[in-house]
Amino acid sequence: MVVSKAVINARLRKFRDCLANLRTIHDTTTLDQYLHNAILRSAVERNIQVAIQCMLDIGNHIIAEDEFRPPEDNEDISTWT
């Protein structure tokens, strides 16, 4: 089965958006500002979470499309070879 490029590309775009958000925060925020702003920390945490989920989604999609055995957990997705 062929991996759907549209699905992969959509998740990669979302991943890149998250990285861009994190870079912007990094470039415009001091450590002190970050440490003392719970909303900012939550935004960073959420962008990291979504970026990781994008990569797991891509891995799951490839595994499903190629009809490999289903992963048992997220680690199984990331270590698949």
Side-chain angles (χ1 to χ4, degrees):
M1 211 175 259
V2 176
V3 175
S4 169
K5 287 183 182 180
V7 171
I8 300 289
N9 285 334
R11 299 313 291 162
L12 285 172
R13 277 192 300 278
K14 184 67 176 172
F15 178 78
R16 284 188 209 105
D17 289 346
C18 290
L19 289 183
N21 292 339
L22 292 166
R23 282 187 190 110
T24 298
I25 292 168
H26 175 268
D27 293 345
T28 61
T29 307
T30 66
L31 178 59
D32 191 54
Q33 289 170 323
Y34 173 79
L35 294 174
H36 292 92
N37 187 327
I39 294 171
L40 184 61
R41 290 192 313 273
S42 294
V44 168
E45 180 181 309
R46 180 66 180 150
N47 276 275
I48 292 170
Q49 179 184 27
V50 171
I52 291 168
Q53 189 60 54
C54 287
M55 294 298 102
L56 293 172
D57 290 349
I58 290 170
N60 267 323
H61 183 73
I62 292 169
I63 289 167
E65 287 284 332
D66 288 343
E67 299 179 0
F68 295 114
R69 73 166 172 78
E72 294 179 21
D73 53 27
N74 288 340
E75 183 178 359
D76 209 13
I77 296 166
S78 66
T79 58
W80 176 84
T81 56

PDB file of all heavy atoms in Angstrom, residues 7-44:
ATOM      1  N   VAL A   7      -1.658  13.078   3.850  1.00  0.00           N
ATOM      2  CA  VAL A   7      -1.720  12.908   5.305  1.00  0.00           C
ATOM      3  C   VAL A   7      -0.372  13.260   5.928  1.00  0.00           C
ATOM      4  O   VAL A   7      -0.299  14.011   6.911  1.00  0.00           O
ATOM      5  CB  VAL A   7      -2.137  11.466   5.671  1.00  0.00           C
ATOM      6  CG1 VAL A   7      -1.992  11.221   7.162  1.00  0.00           C
ATOM      7  CG2 VAL A   7      -3.557  11.183   5.208  1.00  0.00           C
ATOM      8  N   ILE A   8       0.676  12.724   5.356  1.00  0.00           N
ATOM      9  CA  ILE A   8       2.026  12.994   5.881  1.00  0.00           C
ATOM     10  C   ILE A   8       2.338  14.485   5.796  1.00  0.00           C
ATOM     11  O   ILE A   8       2.824  15.086   6.757  1.00  0.00           O
ATOM     12  CB  ILE A   8       3.091  12.185   5.103  1.00  0.00           C
ATOM     13  CG1 ILE A   8       2.826  10.688   5.209  1.00  0.00           C
ATOM     14  CG2 ILE A   8       4.496  12.548   5.563  1.00  0.00           C
ATOM     15  CD1 ILE A   8       3.074  10.063   6.536  1.00  0.00           C
ATOM     16  N   ASN A   9       2.042  15.097   4.662  1.00  0.00           N
ATOM     17  CA  ASN A   9       2.335  16.524   4.489  1.00  0.00           C
ATOM     18  C   ASN A   9       1.543  17.397   5.456  1.00  0.00           C
ATOM     19  O   ASN A   9       2.068  18.387   5.966  1.00  0.00           O
ATOM     20  CB  ASN A   9       2.082  16.949   3.048  1.00  0.00           C
ATOM     21  CG  ASN A   9       3.166  16.470   2.113  1.00  0.00           C
ATOM     22  OD1 ASN A   9       4.300  16.245   2.526  1.00  0.00           O
ATOM     23  ND2 ASN A   9       2.832  16.287   0.854  1.00  0.00           N
ATOM     24  N   ALA A  10       0.306  17.038   5.732  1.00  0.00           N
ATOM     25  CA  ALA A  10      -0.502  17.811   6.684  1.00  0.00           C
ATOM     26  C   ALA A  10       0.110  17.762   8.078  1.00  0.00           C
ATOM     27  O   ALA A  10       0.191  18.784   8.773  1.00  0.00           O
ATOM     28  CB  ALA A  10      -1.935  17.288   6.705  1.00  0.00           C
ATOM     29  N   ARG A  11       0.546  16.581   8.486  1.00  0.00           N
ATOM     30  CA  ARG A  11       1.150  16.454   9.805  1.00  0.00           C
ATOM     31  C   ARG A  11       2.509  17.161   9.853  1.00  0.00           C
ATOM     32  O   ARG A  11       2.875  17.760  10.866  1.00  0.00           O
ATOM     33  CB  ARG A  11       1.318  14.977  10.193  1.00  0.00           C
ATOM     34  CG  ARG A  11       0.010  14.211  10.274  1.00  0.00           C
ATOM     35  CD  ARG A  11      -1.078  14.928  11.046  1.00  0.00           C
ATOM     36  NE  ARG A  11      -0.793  15.002  12.458  1.00  0.00           N
ATOM     37  CZ  ARG A  11      -1.366  15.850  13.308  1.00  0.00           C
ATOM     38  NH1 ARG A  11      -2.279  16.693  12.889  1.00  0.00           N
ATOM     39  NH2 ARG A  11      -1.044  15.850  14.569  1.00  0.00           N
ATOM     40  N   LEU A  12       3.275  17.110   8.753  1.00  0.00           N
ATOM     41  CA  LEU A  12       4.555  17.823   8.711  1.00  0.00           C
ATOM     42  C   LEU A  12       4.354  19.335   8.778  1.00  0.00           C
ATOM     43  O   LEU A  12       5.138  20.038   9.427  1.00  0.00           O
ATOM     44  CB  LEU A  12       5.338  17.448   7.451  1.00  0.00           C
ATOM     45  CG  LEU A  12       5.988  16.069   7.470  1.00  0.00           C
ATOM     46  CD1 LEU A  12       6.572  15.746   6.097  1.00  0.00           C
ATOM     47  CD2 LEU A  12       7.048  15.965   8.547  1.00  0.00           C
ATOM     48  N   ARG A  13       3.300  19.837   8.119  1.00  0.00           N
ATOM     49  CA  ARG A  13       3.012  21.277   8.198  1.00  0.00           C
ATOM     50  C   ARG A  13       2.698  21.673   9.638  1.00  0.00           C
ATOM     51  O   ARG A  13       3.185  22.694  10.133  1.00  0.00           O
ATOM     52  CB  ARG A  13       1.841  21.647   7.286  1.00  0.00           C
ATOM     53  CG  ARG A  13       2.235  21.875   5.843  1.00  0.00           C
ATOM     54  CD  ARG A  13       1.116  22.514   5.033  1.00  0.00           C
ATOM     55  NE  ARG A  13      -0.098  21.692   5.004  1.00  0.00           N
ATOM     56  CZ  ARG A  13      -0.306  20.651   4.191  1.00  0.00           C
ATOM     57  NH1 ARG A  13       0.633  20.297   3.327  1.00  0.00           N
ATOM     58  NH2 ARG A  13      -1.433  19.988   4.227  1.00  0.00           N
ATOM     59  N   LYS A  14       1.892  20.873  10.313  1.00  0.00           N
ATOM     60  CA  LYS A  14       1.550  21.164  11.710  1.00  0.00           C
ATOM     61  C   LYS A  14       2.809  21.102  12.587  1.00  0.00           C
ATOM     62  O   LYS A  14       3.013  21.946  13.461  1.00  0.00           O
ATOM     63  CB  LYS A  14       0.495  20.167  12.205  1.00  0.00           C
ATOM     64  CG  LYS A  14       0.000  20.444  13.586  1.00  0.00           C
ATOM     65  CD  LYS A  14      -0.778  21.738  13.615  1.00  0.00           C
ATOM     66  CE  LYS A  14      -1.372  21.963  14.994  1.00  0.00           C
ATOM     67  NZ  LYS A  14      -1.971  23.286  15.099  1.00  0.00           N
ATOM     68  N   PHE A  15       3.661  20.113  12.321  1.00  0.00           N
ATOM     69  CA  PHE A  15       4.920  19.989  13.054  1.00  0.00           C
ATOM     70  C   PHE A  15       5.776  21.249  12.865  1.00  0.00           C
ATOM     71  O   PHE A  15       6.292  21.814  13.823  1.00  0.00           O
ATOM     72  CB  PHE A  15       5.671  18.744  12.574  1.00  0.00           C
ATOM     73  CG  PHE A  15       7.004  18.540  13.222  1.00  0.00           C
ATOM     74  CD1 PHE A  15       7.096  18.015  14.500  1.00  0.00           C
ATOM     75  CD2 PHE A  15       8.172  18.868  12.554  1.00  0.00           C
ATOM     76  CE1 PHE A  15       8.335  17.822  15.112  1.00  0.00           C
ATOM     77  CE2 PHE A  15       9.405  18.680  13.146  1.00  0.00           C
ATOM     78  CZ  PHE A  15       9.483  18.159  14.435  1.00  0.00           C
ATOM     79  N   ARG A  16       5.897  21.698  11.611  1.00  0.00           N
ATOM     80  CA  ARG A  16       6.686  22.905  11.328  1.00  0.00           C
ATOM     81  C   ARG A  16       6.088  24.133  12.003  1.00  0.00           C
ATOM     82  O   ARG A  16       6.814  25.018  12.471  1.00  0.00           O
ATOM     83  CB  ARG A  16       6.784  23.122   9.818  1.00  0.00           C
ATOM     84  CG  ARG A  16       7.763  22.198   9.155  1.00  0.00           C
ATOM     85  CD  ARG A  16       7.979  22.590   7.681  1.00  0.00           C
ATOM     86  NE  ARG A  16       8.323  21.418   6.934  1.00  0.00           N
ATOM     87  CZ  ARG A  16       7.514  20.763   6.099  1.00  0.00           C
ATOM     88  NH1 ARG A  16       6.294  21.192   5.878  1.00  0.00           N
ATOM     89  NH2 ARG A  16       7.925  19.687   5.471  1.00  0.00           N
ATOM     90  N   ASP A  17       4.754  24.226  12.044  1.00  0.00           N
ATOM     91  CA  ASP A  17       4.101  25.341  12.737  1.00  0.00           C
ATOM     92  C   ASP A  17       4.466  25.349  14.216  1.00  0.00           C
ATOM     93  O   ASP A  17       4.748  26.406  14.787  1.00  0.00           O
ATOM     94  CB  ASP A  17       2.574  25.253  12.591  1.00  0.00           C
ATOM     95  CG  ASP A  17       2.078  25.548  11.189  1.00  0.00           C
ATOM     96  OD1 ASP A  17       2.856  26.085  10.371  1.00  0.00           O
ATOM     97  OD2 ASP A  17       0.901  25.215  10.911  1.00  0.00           O
ATOM     98  N   CYS A  18       4.452  24.183  14.827  1.00  0.00           N
ATOM     99  CA  CYS A  18       4.813  24.083  16.243  1.00  0.00           C
ATOM    100  C   CYS A  18       6.262  24.510  16.462  1.00  0.00           C
ATOM    101  O   CYS A  18       6.562  25.248  17.411  1.00  0.00           O
ATOM    102  CB  CYS A  18       4.601  22.661  16.750  1.00  0.00           C
ATOM    103  SG  CYS A  18       2.867  22.180  16.879  1.00  0.00           S
ATOM    104  N   LEU A  19       7.149  24.046  15.592  1.00  0.00           N
ATOM    105  CA  LEU A  19       8.561  24.440  15.725  1.00  0.00           C
ATOM    106  C   LEU A  19       8.736  25.943  15.546  1.00  0.00           C
ATOM    107  O   LEU A  19       9.516  26.573  16.272  1.00  0.00           O
ATOM    108  CB  LEU A  19       9.426  23.692  14.712  1.00  0.00           C
ATOM    109  CG  LEU A  19       9.633  22.208  14.968  1.00  0.00           C
ATOM    110  CD1 LEU A  19      10.582  21.629  13.918  1.00  0.00           C
ATOM    111  CD2 LEU A  19      10.172  21.944  16.356  1.00  0.00           C
ATOM    112  N   ALA A  20       8.005  26.525  14.605  1.00  0.00           N
ATOM    113  CA  ALA A  20       8.082  27.975  14.390  1.00  0.00           C
ATOM    114  C   ALA A  20       7.602  28.720  15.634  1.00  0.00           C
ATOM    115  O   ALA A  20       8.207  29.719  16.045  1.00  0.00           O
ATOM    116  CB  ALA A  20       7.267  28.375  13.170  1.00  0.00           C
ATOM    117  N   ASN A  21       6.515  28.236  16.231  1.00  0.00           N
ATOM    118  CA  ASN A  21       6.021  28.859  17.467  1.00  0.00           C
ATOM    119  C   ASN A  21       7.064  28.775  18.577  1.00  0.00           C
ATOM    120  O   ASN A  21       7.304  29.759  19.295  1.00  0.00           O
ATOM    121  CB  ASN A  21       4.732  28.178  17.933  1.00  0.00           C
ATOM    122  CG  ASN A  21       3.573  28.419  17.008  1.00  0.00           C
ATOM    123  OD1 ASN A  21       3.564  29.359  16.237  1.00  0.00           O
ATOM    124  ND2 ASN A  21       2.571  27.551  17.094  1.00  0.00           N
ATOM    125  N   LEU A  22       7.679  27.617  18.718  1.00  0.00           N
ATOM    126  CA  LEU A  22       8.699  27.444  19.754  1.00  0.00           C
ATOM    127  C   LEU A  22       9.920  28.321  19.498  1.00  0.00           C
ATOM    128  O   LEU A  22      10.486  28.904  20.436  1.00  0.00           O
ATOM    129  CB  LEU A  22       9.103  25.976  19.860  1.00  0.00           C
ATOM    130  CG  LEU A  22       8.009  25.050  20.418  1.00  0.00           C
ATOM    131  CD1 LEU A  22       8.371  23.587  20.176  1.00  0.00           C
ATOM    132  CD2 LEU A  22       7.767  25.323  21.889  1.00  0.00           C
ATOM    133  N   ARG A  23      10.319  28.449  18.236  1.00  0.00           N
ATOM    134  CA  ARG A  23      11.458  29.325  17.912  1.00  0.00           C
ATOM    135  C   ARG A  23      11.141  30.779  18.241  1.00  0.00           C
ATOM    136  O   ARG A  23      11.991  31.517  18.760  1.00  0.00           O
ATOM    137  CB  ARG A  23      11.821  29.184  16.434  1.00  0.00           C
ATOM    138  CG  ARG A  23      12.602  27.940  16.131  1.00  0.00           C
ATOM    139  CD  ARG A  23      13.097  27.935  14.685  1.00  0.00           C
ATOM    140  NE  ARG A  23      13.637  26.630  14.375  1.00  0.00           N
ATOM    141  CZ  ARG A  23      13.078  25.747  13.547  1.00  0.00           C
ATOM    142  NH1 ARG A  23      11.964  26.041  12.913  1.00  0.00           N
ATOM    143  NH2 ARG A  23      13.639  24.576  13.342  1.00  0.00           N
ATOM    144  N   THR A  24       9.914  31.200  17.917  1.00  0.00           N
ATOM    145  CA  THR A  24       9.509  32.571  18.209  1.00  0.00           C
ATOM    146  C   THR A  24       9.550  32.841  19.706  1.00  0.00           C
ATOM    147  O   THR A  24      10.072  33.867  20.151  1.00  0.00           O
ATOM    148  CB  THR A  24       8.095  32.844  17.655  1.00  0.00           C
ATOM    149  OG1 THR A  24       8.121  32.702  16.239  1.00  0.00           O
ATOM    150  CG2 THR A  24       7.616  34.235  18.020  1.00  0.00           C
ATOM    151  N   ILE A  25       9.007  31.914  20.470  1.00  0.00           N
ATOM    152  CA  ILE A  25       9.040  32.067  21.927  1.00  0.00           C
ATOM    153  C   ILE A  25      10.487  32.115  22.420  1.00  0.00           C
ATOM    154  O   ILE A  25      10.852  32.972  23.233  1.00  0.00           O
ATOM    155  CB  ILE A  25       8.247  30.942  22.618  1.00  0.00           C
ATOM    156  CG1 ILE A  25       6.754  31.092  22.307  1.00  0.00           C
ATOM    157  CG2 ILE A  25       8.495  30.940  24.122  1.00  0.00           C
ATOM    158  CD1 ILE A  25       5.900  29.898  22.692  1.00  0.00           C
ATOM    159  N   HIS A  26      11.319  31.230  21.908  1.00  0.00           N
ATOM    160  CA  HIS A  26      12.729  31.186  22.310  1.00  0.00           C
ATOM    161  C   HIS A  26      13.428  32.508  21.993  1.00  0.00           C
ATOM    162  O   HIS A  26      14.201  33.029  22.806  1.00  0.00           O
ATOM    163  CB  HIS A  26      13.434  30.028  21.601  1.00  0.00           C
ATOM    164  CG  HIS A  26      14.900  29.976  21.866  1.00  0.00           C
ATOM    165  ND1 HIS A  26      15.819  30.606  21.042  1.00  0.00           N
ATOM    166  CD2 HIS A  26      15.612  29.389  22.868  1.00  0.00           C
ATOM    167  CE1 HIS A  26      17.030  30.401  21.524  1.00  0.00           C
ATOM    168  NE2 HIS A  26      16.931  29.658  22.614  1.00  0.00           N
ATOM    169  N   ASP A  27      13.162  33.036  20.810  1.00  0.00           N
ATOM    170  CA  ASP A  27      13.863  34.238  20.347  1.00  0.00           C
ATOM    171  C   ASP A  27      13.352  35.527  20.988  1.00  0.00           C
ATOM    172  O   ASP A  27      14.031  36.552  20.918  1.00  0.00           O
ATOM    173  CB  ASP A  27      13.757  34.357  18.826  1.00  0.00           C
ATOM    174  CG  ASP A  27      14.522  33.258  18.109  1.00  0.00           C
ATOM    175  OD1 ASP A  27      15.353  32.574  18.743  1.00  0.00           O
ATOM    176  OD2 ASP A  27      14.273  33.066  16.894  1.00  0.00           O
ATOM    177  N   THR A  28      12.159  35.497  21.573  1.00  0.00           N
ATOM    178  CA  THR A  28      11.565  36.742  22.082  1.00  0.00           C
ATOM    179  C   THR A  28      11.341  36.734  23.592  1.00  0.00           C
ATOM    180  O   THR A  28      10.794  37.695  24.122  1.00  0.00           O
ATOM    181  CB  THR A  28      10.212  37.014  21.395  1.00  0.00           C
ATOM    182  OG1 THR A  28       9.315  35.938  21.673  1.00  0.00           O
ATOM    183  CG2 THR A  28      10.385  37.194  19.894  1.00  0.00           C
ATOM    184  N   THR A  29      11.776  35.671  24.258  1.00  0.00           N
ATOM    185  CA  THR A  29      11.491  35.528  25.679  1.00  0.00           C
ATOM    186  C   THR A  29      12.773  35.227  26.452  1.00  0.00           C
ATOM    187  O   THR A  29      13.568  34.399  26.029  1.00  0.00           O
ATOM    188  CB  THR A  29      10.490  34.372  25.905  1.00  0.00           C
ATOM    189  OG1 THR A  29       9.353  34.575  25.083  1.00  0.00           O
ATOM    190  CG2 THR A  29      10.060  34.280  27.341  1.00  0.00           C
ATOM    191  N   THR A  30      12.932  35.877  27.562  1.00  0.00           N
ATOM    192  CA  THR A  30      14.068  35.555  28.428  1.00  0.00           C
ATOM    193  C   THR A  30      13.699  34.357  29.303  1.00  0.00           C
ATOM    194  O   THR A  30      12.514  34.030  29.469  1.00  0.00           O
ATOM    195  CB  THR A  30      14.423  36.738  29.344  1.00  0.00           C
ATOM    196  OG1 THR A  30      13.346  36.957  30.262  1.00  0.00           O
ATOM    197  CG2 THR A  30      14.700  38.005  28.539  1.00  0.00           C
ATOM    198  N   LEU A  31      14.695  33.748  29.879  1.00  0.00           N
ATOM    199  CA  LEU A  31      14.459  32.629  30.786  1.00  0.00           C
ATOM    200  C   LEU A  31      13.614  33.081  31.976  1.00  0.00           C
ATOM    201  O   LEU A  31      12.691  32.378  32.398  1.00  0.00           O
ATOM    202  CB  LEU A  31      15.781  32.028  31.267  1.00  0.00           C
ATOM    203  CG  LEU A  31      15.670  30.873  32.253  1.00  0.00           C
ATOM    204  CD1 LEU A  31      14.873  29.709  31.663  1.00  0.00           C
ATOM    205  CD2 LEU A  31      17.060  30.413  32.680  1.00  0.00           C
ATOM    206  N   ASP A  32      13.898  34.254  32.486  1.00  0.00           N
ATOM    207  CA  ASP A  32      13.137  34.774  33.619  1.00  0.00           C
ATOM    208  C   ASP A  32      11.662  34.966  33.247  1.00  0.00           C
ATOM    209  O   ASP A  32      10.773  34.622  34.025  1.00  0.00           O
ATOM    210  CB  ASP A  32      13.744  36.099  34.097  1.00  0.00           C
ATOM    211  CG  ASP A  32      13.169  36.545  35.421  1.00  0.00           C
ATOM    212  OD1 ASP A  32      13.210  35.746  36.390  1.00  0.00           O
ATOM    213  OD2 ASP A  32      12.645  37.680  35.488  1.00  0.00           O
ATOM    214  N   GLN A  33      11.409  35.515  32.076  1.00  0.00           N
ATOM    215  CA  GLN A  33      10.025  35.680  31.621  1.00  0.00           C
ATOM    216  C   GLN A  33       9.336  34.317  31.514  1.00  0.00           C
ATOM    217  O   GLN A  33       8.186  34.155  31.928  1.00  0.00           O
ATOM    218  CB  GLN A  33       9.976  36.379  30.263  1.00  0.00           C
ATOM    219  CG  GLN A  33      10.337  37.837  30.300  1.00  0.00           C
ATOM    220  CD  GLN A  33      10.499  38.420  28.910  1.00  0.00           C
ATOM    221  OE1 GLN A  33      10.990  37.758  28.004  1.00  0.00           O
ATOM    222  NE2 GLN A  33      10.081  39.667  28.746  1.00  0.00           N
ATOM    223  N   TYR A  34      10.051  33.369  30.951  1.00  0.00           N
ATOM    224  CA  TYR A  34       9.497  32.023  30.791  1.00  0.00           C
ATOM    225  C   TYR A  34       9.177  31.395  32.147  1.00  0.00           C
ATOM    226  O   TYR A  34       8.091  30.852  32.357  1.00  0.00           O
ATOM    227  CB  TYR A  34      10.491  31.147  30.018  1.00  0.00           C
ATOM    228  CG  TYR A  34      10.086  29.693  29.944  1.00  0.00           C
ATOM    229  CD1 TYR A  34       9.130  29.277  29.038  1.00  0.00           C
ATOM    230  CD2 TYR A  34      10.660  28.748  30.790  1.00  0.00           C
ATOM    231  CE1 TYR A  34       8.743  27.941  28.975  1.00  0.00           C
ATOM    232  CE2 TYR A  34      10.282  27.419  30.735  1.00  0.00           C
ATOM    233  CZ  TYR A  34       9.320  27.020  29.832  1.00  0.00           C
ATOM    234  OH  TYR A  34       8.933  25.715  29.778  1.00  0.00           O
ATOM    235  N   LEU A  35      10.112  31.474  33.062  1.00  0.00           N
ATOM    236  CA  LEU A  35       9.932  30.846  34.376  1.00  0.00           C
ATOM    237  C   LEU A  35       8.804  31.463  35.194  1.00  0.00           C
ATOM    238  O   LEU A  35       8.194  30.787  36.021  1.00  0.00           O
ATOM    239  CB  LEU A  35      11.240  30.897  35.165  1.00  0.00           C
ATOM    240  CG  LEU A  35      12.390  30.072  34.601  1.00  0.00           C
ATOM    241  CD1 LEU A  35      13.668  30.331  35.396  1.00  0.00           C
ATOM    242  CD2 LEU A  35      12.034  28.591  34.592  1.00  0.00           C
ATOM    243  N   HIS A  36       8.508  32.741  34.947  1.00  0.00           N
ATOM    244  CA  HIS A  36       7.501  33.433  35.744  1.00  0.00           C
ATOM    245  C   HIS A  36       6.171  33.631  35.015  1.00  0.00           C
ATOM    246  O   HIS A  36       5.326  34.391  35.493  1.00  0.00           O
ATOM    247  CB  HIS A  36       8.051  34.780  36.229  1.00  0.00           C
ATOM    248  CG  HIS A  36       9.158  34.606  37.222  1.00  0.00           C
ATOM    249  ND1 HIS A  36      10.478  34.557  36.846  1.00  0.00           N
ATOM    250  CD2 HIS A  36       9.132  34.416  38.558  1.00  0.00           C
ATOM    251  CE1 HIS A  36      11.227  34.365  37.908  1.00  0.00           C
ATOM    252  NE2 HIS A  36      10.431  34.272  38.978  1.00  0.00           N
ATOM    253  N   ASN A  37       5.974  32.934  33.910  1.00  0.00           N
ATOM    254  CA  ASN A  37       4.734  33.101  33.144  1.00  0.00           C
ATOM    255  C   ASN A  37       4.135  31.722  32.856  1.00  0.00           C
ATOM    256  O   ASN A  37       4.557  31.021  31.935  1.00  0.00           O
ATOM    257  CB  ASN A  37       5.023  33.858  31.846  1.00  0.00           C
ATOM    258  CG  ASN A  37       3.773  34.212  31.089  1.00  0.00           C
ATOM    259  OD1 ASN A  37       2.782  33.486  31.109  1.00  0.00           O
ATOM    260  ND2 ASN A  37       3.817  35.332  30.385  1.00  0.00           N
ATOM    261  N   ALA A  38       3.149  31.359  33.654  1.00  0.00           N
ATOM    262  CA  ALA A  38       2.527  30.030  33.522  1.00  0.00           C
ATOM    263  C   ALA A  38       1.852  29.848  32.163  1.00  0.00           C
ATOM    264  O   ALA A  38       1.861  28.738  31.609  1.00  0.00           O
ATOM    265  CB  ALA A  38       1.516  29.814  34.642  1.00  0.00           C
ATOM    266  N   ILE A  39       1.275  30.891  31.633  1.00  0.00           N
ATOM    267  CA  ILE A  39       0.609  30.784  30.325  1.00  0.00           C
ATOM    268  C   ILE A  39       1.639  30.510  29.237  1.00  0.00           C
ATOM    269  O   ILE A  39       1.425  29.670  28.355  1.00  0.00           O
ATOM    270  CB  ILE A  39      -0.213  32.057  30.020  1.00  0.00           C
ATOM    271  CG1 ILE A  39      -1.377  32.154  31.014  1.00  0.00           C
ATOM    272  CG2 ILE A  39      -0.718  32.059  28.581  1.00  0.00           C
ATOM    273  CD1 ILE A  39      -2.135  33.451  30.963  1.00  0.00           C
ATOM    274  N   LEU A  40       2.753  31.183  29.299  1.00  0.00           N
ATOM    275  CA  LEU A  40       3.830  30.966  28.330  1.00  0.00           C
ATOM    276  C   LEU A  40       4.367  29.536  28.430  1.00  0.00           C
ATOM    277  O   LEU A  40       4.572  28.862  27.418  1.00  0.00           O
ATOM    278  CB  LEU A  40       4.949  31.982  28.565  1.00  0.00           C
ATOM    279  CG  LEU A  40       6.112  31.964  27.599  1.00  0.00           C
ATOM    280  CD1 LEU A  40       5.647  32.252  26.173  1.00  0.00           C
ATOM    281  CD2 LEU A  40       7.143  32.991  28.029  1.00  0.00           C
ATOM    282  N   ARG A  41       4.585  29.062  29.657  1.00  0.00           N
ATOM    283  CA  ARG A  41       5.054  27.682  29.837  1.00  0.00           C
ATOM    284  C   ARG A  41       4.038  26.684  29.282  1.00  0.00           C
ATOM    285  O   ARG A  41       4.409  25.690  28.657  1.00  0.00           O
ATOM    286  CB  ARG A  41       5.356  27.402  31.313  1.00  0.00           C
ATOM    287  CG  ARG A  41       6.592  28.137  31.813  1.00  0.00           C
ATOM    288  CD  ARG A  41       7.061  27.631  33.169  1.00  0.00           C
ATOM    289  NE  ARG A  41       6.003  27.497  34.158  1.00  0.00           N
ATOM    290  CZ  ARG A  41       5.570  28.481  34.964  1.00  0.00           C
ATOM    291  NH1 ARG A  41       6.129  29.684  34.885  1.00  0.00           N
ATOM    292  NH2 ARG A  41       4.624  28.260  35.848  1.00  0.00           N
ATOM    293  N   SER A  42       2.769  26.969  29.473  1.00  0.00           N
ATOM    294  CA  SER A  42       1.720  26.097  28.931  1.00  0.00           C
ATOM    295  C   SER A  42       1.738  26.092  27.406  1.00  0.00           C
ATOM    296  O   SER A  42       1.539  25.040  26.777  1.00  0.00           O
ATOM    297  CB  SER A  42       0.342  26.545  29.415  1.00  0.00           C
ATOM    298  OG  SER A  42       0.210  26.366  30.799  1.00  0.00           O
ATOM    299  N   ALA A  43       1.987  27.236  26.811  1.00  0.00           N
ATOM    300  CA  ALA A  43       2.060  27.317  25.349  1.00  0.00           C
ATOM    301  C   ALA A  43       3.238  26.504  24.822  1.00  0.00           C
ATOM    302  O   ALA A  43       3.115  25.789  23.823  1.00  0.00           O
ATOM    303  CB  ALA A  43       2.172  28.776  24.906  1.00  0.00           C
ATOM    304  N   VAL A  44       4.371  26.609  25.501  1.00  0.00           N
ATOM    305  CA  VAL A  44       5.547  25.831  25.105  1.00  0.00           C
ATOM    306  C   VAL A  44       5.247  24.341  25.237  1.00  0.00           C
ATOM    307  O   VAL A  44       5.496  23.549  24.316  1.00  0.00           O
ATOM    308  CB  VAL A  44       6.787  26.218  25.947  1.00  0.00           C
ATOM    309  CG1 VAL A  44       7.923  25.232  25.748  1.00  0.00           C
ATOM    310  CG2 VAL A  44       7.232  27.633  25.602  1.00  0.00           C
TER     311      VAL A  44
END
